[in-house]
Amino acid sequence: MLHSFSGDLAQAQEALTWPFLLSFAGPVTFKNARALHALVTQLPLDRLLFETDAPFLTPHPWRGQRNEPARVTLVAEAVSRLLGRPLADVAAQTTATACEFFAWSSP
């Protein structure tokens, strides 16, 4: 997993030639993160994970405050909007990806 990915499309495409997952954190919720927003829309959903990167990179609107795991929902909501897909679909896929990656039982 590439933690809190902030690279460009070329780097993401190179990573995806390997069995890497790309993990996104609070910056994907920032209004001025246009390059990151464009990047996310070009990536396969089944290779994405979300994180809160506590205590830093807190999602909007809590930016500048200490982060907490419950705020990962804000990351998922932002990606859902960017992809134009229902939050439930995005959450189901990224949860399945996380369960497989971490060898967890599916909820």
Side-chain angles (χ1 to χ4, degrees), residues 17-31:
T17 66
W18 297 85
F20 285 112
L21 299 174
L22 303 177
S23 185
F24 292 89
V28 80
T29 69
F30 301 167
K31 292 177 183 177

Side-chain angles (χ1 to χ4, degrees), residues 14-58:
E14 177 65 24
L16 295 176
T17 66
W18 297 85
F20 285 112
L21 299 174
L22 303 177
S23 185
F24 292 89
V28 80
T29 69
F30 301 167
K31 292 177 183 177
N32 64 348
R34 290 177 192 88
L36 192 55
H37 297 164
L39 173 65
V40 166
T41 66
Q42 298 178 65
L43 301 175
L45 182 58
D46 67 340
R47 301 289 294 276
L48 304 184
L49 292 175
F50 304 142
E51 60 183 301
T52 54
D53 194 39
F56 303 109
L57 301 178
T58 306

